[in-house]
Amino acid sequence: QDYARGKPQDDDELGNAVREVLTEEVHRFQASFRKQLRGLEVAVSGNAARGASLGGVRRFAAMRDVQVLQRQVLQIENQRRRRSMEVGELRKALRDVRNVLTDKAAEAGSGGAPGNVAAAQLLAEIREERERWRTEKRLLEQQISGLEADLESRRATPTVDPEKEKLRRMVKQLQMSIDS
């Protein structure tokens, strides 16, 4: 609402606030990843040092643990990359929002003729599409009611099947011949 009124200081404040939040989130993610990475590095170095003095089976288990820890380090690194990409996407979305809001503020300041024309055109298209859907819906409902009426009339009228009648007569004749 403030953007429609054209307050540039609010845009700067919003940008600064978003930038601060994004920066804090990035720093928080970096700190947590560093902490996890350091813990894993300590565990890996401790396992490697113990592995040199252990026997064959223990050495194998230690090497397996080192491999597991290395995979975890890779996973954490991949998470960090994904977070970095997410931050980039958030920044891009913020930029897009700013562009839209500044465009709206500029249109509001200049009378907004191009935006109003596009909005009116879009609104007219939406109304036309809704009306077309309503018309289609009415036609389909009429077809459905017609088909239902046709189905009811077919159910109400007994149909004479000559083959069934012939079979019934044969059954009656067989019953009479069995009885006699």
Side-chain angles (χ1 to χ4, degrees), residues 142-159:
Q142 288 174 356
Q143 287 178 354
I144 289 171
S145 62
L147 290 172
E148 286 175 344
D150 187 35
L151 183 63
E152 286 298 318
S153 67
R154 286 185 183 181
R155 285 184 186 163
T157 335
T159 57

Side-chain angles (χ1 to χ4, degrees), residues 52-87:
S53 64
L54 296 176
V57 173
R58 286 185 171 176
R59 189 173 293 146
F60 175 75
M63 290 305 293
R64 189 183 62 219
D65 290 343
V66 167
Q67 290 174 347
V68 167
L69 290 173
Q70 287 173 342
R71 274 190 237 119
Q72 288 177 349
V73 167
L74 286 174
Q75 287 175 346
I76 290 173
E77 194 64 28
N78 287 337
Q79 286 176 349
R80 185 188 62 77
R81 282 189 207 115
R82 271 189 248 125
R83 296 285 188 226
S84 176
M85 288 174 48
E86 288 174 4
V87 167

